[in-house]
Amino acid sequence: MKELVFATHNNHKLEEMRAILKNYNVIGLNDIGCHEEIIEDSDTLEGNAIIKANFVTDHYNLNCFADDTGLEVEALDGAPGVFSARYAGEGCSFQDNVKKLLKALEGIENRRARFRTVIALNLDGQQYTFEGIVNGIIVKEQHGEKGFGYDPIFLPDGYDQTFAEMPLDLKNNISHRGLATQKLMKFLEL
């Protein structure tokens, strides 16, 4: 089985990717002994994904992929966007971010939002990017125990469950990360 490094310390994301990329032995940063925090200082999702993938390739000489994801809320001019993971400040929890977003949307009718993921793949000296987008709305209160991040308040178009209420396999098929990963998977199978 081919091995591919996923440039993340996030076990939730690693678990999702392992479930999707079944034909690969997907390992994380901890598995290669990379414990440093990779500074994501780009103002775009694509830029941050490339920074992480390049760090692993440059320092460990391994084929690698990295992602960056943002929740873009229409009424907030695309915020939190590239700052989604630290929306409530450095060192904040998922719950802190969710509370801040719900507070920011109090009294606002337009709750349209989209999750967007960009994956950067460094493979055999070449770099490729893949994007996945899922549209939906931000619900007014949290629903569900599964998933992480903004999953309990994101209701994808065409569904009556938030990401946090869905079985993992359904979420992986329709989510932003799932869609970007499906593009990655098709590319890897060529």
Side-chain angles (χ1 to χ4, degrees):
M1 186 178 283
K2 294 179 190 168
E3 193 167 85
L4 201 52
V5 177
F6 180 24
T8 187
H9 291 292
N10 183 323
N11 288 328
H12 296 290
K13 285 165 68 168
L14 193 56
E15 184 181 319
E16 278 187 9
M17 285 298 189
R18 284 178 174 152
I20 297 168
L21 292 173
K22 293 182 173 89
N23 293 338
Y24 283 81
N25 179 27
V26 179
I27 60 173
L29 292 176
N30 292 335
D31 299 313
I32 62 168
C34 177
H35 302 291
E36 50 268 64
E37 193 63 37
I38 302 169
I39 305 300
E40 300 171 45
D41 54 5
S42 175
D43 58 359
T44 67
L45 298 174
E46 181 177 77
N48 283 335
I50 289 169
I51 286 169
K52 291 184 280 189
N54 287 350
F55 182 91
V56 171
T57 301
D58 294 345
H59 290 82
Y60 296 89
N61 199 29
L62 294 168
N63 288 327
C64 161
F65 70 98
D67 78 326
D68 199 24
T69 295
L71 175 64
E72 300 169 343
V73 180
E74 203 172 274
L76 302 177
D77 297 323
V82 74
F83 302 105
S84 294
R86 52 194 180 281
Y87 185 49
E90 290 298 325
C92 63
S93 69
F94 293 143
Q95 197 61 333
D96 295 334
N97 288 331
V98 167
K99 285 179 185 172
K100 180 175 180 179
L101 183 61
L102 289 176
K103 184 96 176 124
L105 287 174
E106 278 180 5
I108 295 177
E109 283 299 309
N110 177 8
R111 301 181 80 84
R112 298 292 308 154
R114 70 181 189 169
F115 264 123
R116 195 161 65 91
T117 292
V118 177
I119 294 175
L121 170 68
N122 288 352
L123 185 67
D124 302 328
Q126 298 293 314
Q127 188 168 75
Y128 311 90
T129 59
F130 310 91
E131 182 181 59
I133 296 173
V134 63
N135 294 299
I137 62 167
I138 303 299
V139 296
K140 294 184 179 180
E141 55 190 45
Q142 298 183 57
H143 298 280
E145 302 294 321
K146 300 179 183 116
F148 61 98
Y150 298 95
D151 287 357
I153 58 170
F154 185 80
L155 182 69
D157 288 348
Y159 293 86
D160 60 0
Q161 294 178 307
T162 66
F163 275 166
E165 294 175 293
M166 290 181 175
L168 185 59
D169 59 338
L170 173 58
K171 179 190 169 192
N172 284 343
N173 281 333
I174 66 165
S175 78
H176 46 295
R177 188 171 295 107
L179 295 171
T181 305
Q182 287 166 25
K183 291 176 184 176
L184 168 69
M185 210 166 57
K186 282 183 182 147
F187 175 81
L188 289 171
E189 290 171 356
L190 292 179

